[in-house]
Amino acid sequence: MTFGIGSSVKTSAILTSMGKQDLNSVSYGPIRRTTYTWVSDLDNLRSNMAGFYSFFSSSEEIIDPIFSVPYQDAFGIGLVTSACLPIYVGNLKGVACVDIPVSELLEDATYFQQGELSYAFITDSRGRALTHPLLPKPKDKGDDPIFVFAADLERSAGAEEILASMRRSESGNKTILSTRSFARGDVNKEGVHTRSGVLSHYFWYPIGYNNFSVCIVVGDNDRQARLNTLSASNDANTFTYHRLDLKNSGTTCKHFQRLARKDTSTVMLTATAFKDPYNYFERNDSLSDVNAYELYFRGQSNSLSSNPVKDNVRKSVIATKVGNTFWTSSSNTASSYVVWRAIGTIEGIMRVYPGVQLAKDYNHQLRPWWKRTLANKGKNTVSAPYLDTWGSGYIITLAYAIYEGRANNQHTTNDQVVAIMSADFSVTYFYGMLQEKFTDCRSSMYSCFVMDSSGYLVIHDDFVSVPSNPAKPFIEGIHLMVKEPAIARDLISKNVMTTSACINFEGIQNRHYWTVSVSSVTYPGGIVQNINGVPSYELHTVADSNVFVVIKSTDAAKVGSGSSCTCQDSGQTDTQCTSTSVSYCQCPCWTKAHYLYCNNTFDTSSDNWPTCPPKVPDISSVKLEAKSTSKAVCFDAGCSKSDKYLCYASAGCNWCTINKDNSVISSPYCANQDVCYYGKVGQSSPYNTTSNGITDNGEEGNLGGIYIAIIVVVILLVILAIAGGIYRHLRKTAIRKASQSPPAVMTDRDSDLGPTGYSPEPHPALYTGSHAPSAPPPSYDSMYMQERKT
């Protein structure tokens, strides 16, 4: 049907012809001829257009609900879908609808966990993916989303047959070889790494009373790691909940700009830890919740009635207590340079020292440091510097993955990761360490810098030196191409730095990024030797890490020349690429993906890059108590050092060289960063305004083995549980809308596949020659038992 508004189209020939379908072609299928209606008065627009609904309405009564395409709720609920049914009293009288938050409806699939290679996704009858691990979680979608077809996300051979069956609301199972795409950190800057040829078992099932289908994908022999049962101690070291604003039984102090506990770590339970993640976001913590958590995690009760956690979470809390024991005993010696320490687990608990409060929607498993460490399993993983929103200045995170325990402590990168431990250091501390370990770096003939495997600078002279303007330097997100374009061009020509891309379906973009990799065959010892060339430099691979040390000549004749690369000094990555040449020197950027707007599909035949995982969700809008009112500091920074490098080694201290009037200080000195931020007296720091929150198979007895027959049974149960869970959500939502009663408690669908234990890998020093300890490290279980004895 066609409609026209305004006097000029009162007798429109073309709209009349379009309504009658005069120029139709039978090759496009059956044609239904309609009419043209002229709307003379806008006040009658609704009634004039009502004929549209009458013309296309069906005489057949509809008994199953119809779900709308998800959209952003105008009243701030977030992404919702409307479930609607017609009302008949003899004939059609109207339509009744209920709006359901998509986060609640799909939470069972969104938070499904069964190992690193397993996941769940849900599609509608048209094949659109409603939830998929390669798409943002429903609660993280800001605007009305672009709906991506599951066929664009599941592109392996054999997947289309599965998706077609799901569109027909059939059930089934099939095993194919597929590819997994994982973020290497911040996906917009660092891109992805893939794992191809994964033997994958697909199980799909239609969800009753709607047009959705759920599919569970399980990597062969993949499973969720399980912990041995550990005994809890009734003390604050085992569990102190992070909500210090609700309950604080200890002495607080000021750690930079945060209210903190020096005597113990705090534990946050993220949404992943709960059986009902949506309920976690909907309710606010209360004092009674904190008391219940303490009783449960300290072993004084056996259940949580208000908001139950998954079965393995209490074991995870108890196991990570060993971190708290180590941190508090070593705090006096490490506090001057270690800013924050943390352990995040796959079960969804985050333990932080010194103990502070975290934002409610913080989830360590979504953060770049977690994803970067998973991409570098078995390595000391170093981040590029970023501004600590808690007040310590620019910091660098060093993280390491902890594998599931094995009896012989021998691991491969295919083993299950159960936790990641991390420590945050100041940029100046890393710089001082670099100067100390590499004596050539302190020579007037050479200078040094460190970059990561994506080409981002970790340490550079410009990150600690006072600019000549003077002004605060750009530090965060600075690529090699910004500071050292000549070396970048040479590494590209040597094929040491290579470019690739991934498809961001929601942004309709190809995200281009760089990877630095040194072949030990081409470059023995992992050293790129170009000291006699121009530019004059050496690149050294730091063993068992994701970083490289570059020593370059300061001789002006050997620095190299040429135009700058296409970059922005501020570290901005949301820029369109100038060229798509693999040899063109430009910082990470994007190009437009080939999106076919008419049929809402992507042309992946021309853009055959892997899929970009979702970007890091923004949590900066979640306010926390930013500044501590306590006058007592947790750790004295000791900014009274007379040596520049000792000053650099103290977190929160700066080496002052420029007066407020820009004159040079004749006798430089060490002071707190609030006194001379980045070397200039009186220069404002980023913390002048209120800040926000952050930004072995374990066999014992005969229970450790996992076989495909067991996986099939377990996954079928999980499919039915997720399908049933969505149906229960529909009923539960309708009841709660009417009665405003709290949501029903969901049952845990994690299957206990046998007891295992944590076992940390060796954590070698970053700049030592030997990277293997003399004896294998103890497992978490044995460390815990030893701690109990002492």
Side-chain angles (χ1 to χ4, degrees):
M1 299 184 72
T2 56
F3 297 85
I5 300 174
S7 58
S8 62
V9 292
K10 182 176 182 179
T11 57
S12 173
I14 186 170
L15 291 176
T16 301
S17 177
M18 289 172 63
K20 292 181 179 181
Q21 295 285 287
D22 289 338
L23 301 179
N24 73 81
S25 171
V26 294
S27 62
Y28 290 102
I31 300 300
R32 188 172 183 180
R33 300 185 183 278
T34 61
T35 59
Y36 165 63
T37 301
W38 174 54
V39 181
S40 59
D41 187 349
L42 286 179
D43 291 337
N44 299 326
L45 179 63
R46 179 175 297 181
S47 58
N48 286 153
M49 295 191 68
F52 173 87
Y53 301 100
S54 300
F55 187 88
F56 288 102
S57 64
S58 172
S59 59
E60 180 182 351
E61 291 191 5
I62 300 173
I63 59 175
D64 290 333
I66 296 175
F67 287 78
S68 72
V69 173
Y71 59 94
Q72 283 292 333
D73 177 68
F75 298 101
I77 296 176
L79 202 65
V80 298
T81 181
S82 296
C84 301
L85 273 173
I87 301 172
Y88 300 98
V89 182
N91 54 12
L92 179 65
K93 296 298 183 182
V95 176
C97 296
V98 59
D99 293 340
I100 306 171
V102 175
S103 294
E104 179 182 13
L105 185 64
L106 307 180
E107 67 172 347
D108 297 286
T110 302
Y111 289 91
F112 170 76
Q113 279 188 326
Q114 193 62 42
E116 294 179 49
L117 299 176
S118 303
Y119 58 93
F121 66 92
I122 293 177
T123 66
D124 63 13
S125 57
R126 292 188 58 189
R128 293 175 294 205
L130 301 180
T131 181
H132 193 285
L134 293 177
L135 297 176
K137 286 181 168 58
K139 80 173 205 60
D140 295 328
K141 295 184 179 182
D143 301 321
D144 286 333
I146 294 174
F147 288 96
V148 180
F149 283 89
D152 291 324
L153 305 173
E154 299 284 339
R155 287 181 269 160
S156 300
E160 177 51 39
E161 179 183 339
I162 296 169
L163 299 175
S165 178
M166 294 176 68
R167 291 193 295 269
R168 296 190 296 267
S169 297
E170 299 171 348
S171 62
N173 64 84
K174 184 180 178 66
T175 298
I176 63 174
L177 294 176
S178 63
T179 299
R180 303 288 189 273
S181 182
F182 304 100
R184 296 173 63 223
D186 183 337
V187 68
N188 284 352
K189 295 179 179 179
E190 301 166 77
V192 303
H193 70 101
T194 59
R195 185 170 172 180
S196 59
V198 178
L199 187 62
S200 304
H201 311 285
Y202 285 68
F203 304 84
W204 62 96
Y205 197 85
I207 302 171
Y209 302 100
N210 58 56
N211 62 337
F212 301 160
S213 289
V214 60
C215 183
I216 304 295
V217 185
V218 179
D220 197 43
N221 291 327
D222 199 25
R223 60 185 175 87
Q224 186 73 21
R226 312 301 288 182
L227 281 172
N228 292 327
T229 300
L230 303 172
S231 299
S233 300
N234 186 18
D235 57 59
N237 291 329
T238 298
F239 181 83
T240 294
Y241 196 50
H242 74 112
R243 291 298 302 272
L244 301 179
D245 58 325
L246 293 177
K247 183 176 182 179
N248 182 20
S249 303
T251 302
T252 57
C253 53
K254 180 180 180 180
H255 191 53
F256 297 101
Q257 295 197 354
R258 296 304 311 280
L259 181 71
R261 287 277 297 271
K262 174 183 176 180
D263 58 323
T264 188
S265 60
T266 51
V267 175
M268 179 189 181
L269 308 172
T270 68
T272 307
F274 291 90
K275 295 180 180 180
D276 190 346
Y278 181 78
N279 186 35
Y280 165 81
F281 286 115
E282 283 292 286
R283 56 180 289 146
N284 293 319
D285 286 327
S286 65
L287 180 58
S288 61
D289 290 327
V290 178
N291 290 331
Y293 291 151
E294 285 186 355
L295 291 173
Y296 179 72
F297 288 108
R298 295 179 183 179
Q300 304 304 298
S301 71
N302 292 319
S303 65
L304 285 169
S305 58
S306 59
N307 199 15
V309 295
K310 296 176 182 177
D311 293 339
N312 219 32
V313 172
R314 180 157 67 171
K315 301 174 186 178
S316 182
V317 169
I318 299 170
T320 58
K321 177 188 174 182
V322 67
N324 183 87
T325 303
F326 175 76
W327 296 333
T328 53
S329 65
S330 65
S331 61
N332 290 332
T333 58
S335 59
S336 63
Y337 56 89
V338 182
V339 180
W340 304 101
R341 283 150 275 198
I343 297 178
T345 73
I346 201 72
E347 288 84 12
I349 76 122
M350 182 70 173
R351 186 183 286 272
V352 181
Y353 181 81
V356 292
Q357 180 186 346
L358 294 170
K360 187 177 181 66
D361 60 348
Y362 181 82
N363 189 335
H364 53 277
Q365 296 180 30
L366 302 180
R367 310 314 296 171
W369 64 267
W370 177 276
K371 296 178 181 294
R372 188 180 300 113
T373 308
L374 285 182
N376 291 280
K377 289 190 292 185
K379 295 181 179 180
N380 296 286
T381 305
V382 181
S383 75
Y386 59 95
L387 185 66
D388 175 25
T389 58
W390 293 352
S392 66
Y394 284 97
I395 58 176
I396 292 168
T397 296
L398 172 64
Y400 201 82
I402 304 173
Y403 290 117
E404 183 183 15
R406 285 183 180 271
N408 58 4
N409 288 326
Q410 300 300 309
H411 293 282
T412 71
T413 54
N414 292 329
D415 286 352
Q416 295 289 332
V417 170
V418 292
I420 291 176
M421 54 185 177
S422 68
D424 297 336
F425 303 85
S426 68
V427 169
T428 52
Y429 171 75
F430 259 64
Y431 181 78
M433 184 173 64
L434 177 68
Q435 300 293 312
E436 178 185 354
K437 297 297 181 182
F438 291 87
T439 55
D440 284 345
C441 299
R442 304 180 74 165
S443 165
S444 61
M445 299 173 60
Y446 301 99
S447 66
C448 302
F449 63 86
V450 178
M451 68 175 177
D452 67 13
S453 56
S454 297
Y456 282 93
L457 295 178
V458 177
I459 288 296
H460 193 277
D461 285 341
D462 292 350
F463 291 178
V464 295
S465 302
V466 181
S468 56
N469 331 18
K472 288 173 283 190
F474 289 119
I475 295 177
E476 188 169 353
I478 303 301
H479 203 269
L480 173 69
M481 296 178 179
V482 174
K483 296 290 185 182
E484 307 290 345
I487 294 178
R489 293 179 192 278
D490 194 66
L491 291 175
I492 293 172
S493 69
K494 288 178 166 60
N495 216 33
V496 171
M497 181 180 291
T498 56
T499 186
S500 190
C502 61
I503 307 175
N504 175 1
F505 286 109
E506 285 229 321
I508 317 181
Q509 296 174 340
N510 296 322
R511 304 294 313 201
H512 297 261
Y513 58 91
W514 293 93
T515 300
V516 181
S517 179
V518 179
S519 168
S520 59
V521 176
T522 307
Y523 301 100
I527 301 174
V528 178
Q529 179 61 261
N530 203 63
I531 201 68
N532 296 320
V534 177
S536 174
Y537 71 95
E538 287 181 1
L539 182 147
H540 293 255
T541 304
V542 179
D544 302 323
S545 81
N546 68 320
V547 296
F548 306 86
V549 174
V550 178
I551 304 173
K552 67 169 188 171
S553 172
T554 57
D555 187 340
K558 298 181 179 181
V559 169
S561 60
S563 60
S564 299
C565 300
T566 306
C567 295
Q568 291 193 9
D569 289 347
S570 60
Q572 175 63 253
T573 59
D574 197 24
T575 55
Q576 192 166 1
C577 300
T578 304
S579 170
T580 57
S581 170
V582 296
S583 61
Y584 187 75
C585 188
Q586 60 186 342
C587 286
C589 53
W590 58 268
T591 56
K592 293 181 180 180
H594 292 98
Y595 183 64
L596 308 177
Y597 285 88
C598 291
N599 56 7
N600 193 31
T601 59
F602 288 85
D603 181 9
T604 53
S605 62
S606 55
D607 288 334
N608 59 354
W609 307 109
T611 304
C612 300
K615 67 177 183 179
V616 178
D618 182 20
I619 59 173
S620 61
S621 61
V622 182
K623 297 284 185 180
L624 293 177
E625 35 74 49
K627 293 187 177 181
S628 170
T629 58
S630 173
K631 295 182 179 179
V633 296
C634 298
F635 307 103
D636 184 5
C639 299
S640 58
K641 310 291 192 302
S642 58
D643 179 81
K644 177 170 67 172
Y645 294 106
L646 290 177
C647 183
Y648 285 159
S650 300
C653 301
N654 279 176
W655 187 249
C656 308
T657 59
I658 302 293
N659 283 310
K660 186 179 294 187
D661 62 1
N662 294 337
S663 62
V664 177
I665 298 175
S666 58
S667 298
Y669 59 92
C670 186
N672 189 283
Q673 64 180 1
D674 293 332
V675 175
C676 62
Y677 182 68
Y678 264 89
K680 181 184 178 182
V681 176
Q683 183 163 241
S684 62
S685 76
Y687 305 111
N688 290 341
T689 58
T690 301
S691 63
N692 297 324
I694 330 186
T695 74
D696 168 353
N697 28 4
E699 285 130 350
E700 291 189 10
N702 58 0
L703 296 177
I706 302 297
Y707 301 96
I708 189 58
I710 298 177
I711 289 182
V712 171
V713 173
V714 170
I715 296 307
L716 287 176
L717 291 175
V718 173
I719 288 179
L720 295 174
I722 290 180
I726 291 178
Y727 174 60
R728 286 195 301 276
H729 278 310
L730 299 181
R731 296 186 60 212
K732 181 176 67 175
T733 301
I735 294 171
R736 188 162 70 251
K737 295 292 183 183
S739 65
Q740 294 300 309
S741 60
V745 173
M746 299 295 295
T747 57
D748 186 16
R749 283 165 292 280
D750 283 349
S751 57
D752 193 340
L753 300 178
T756 61
Y758 278 172
S759 175
E761 279 287 88
H763 194 183
L766 190 58
Y767 293 107
T768 57
S770 174
H771 296 274
S774 57
S779 68
Y780 261 12
D781 296 339
S782 62
M783 293 174 73
Y784 170 78
M785 293 307 297
Q786 180 64 32
E787 190 270 339
R788 290 275 291 173
K789 292 177 182 178
T790 56

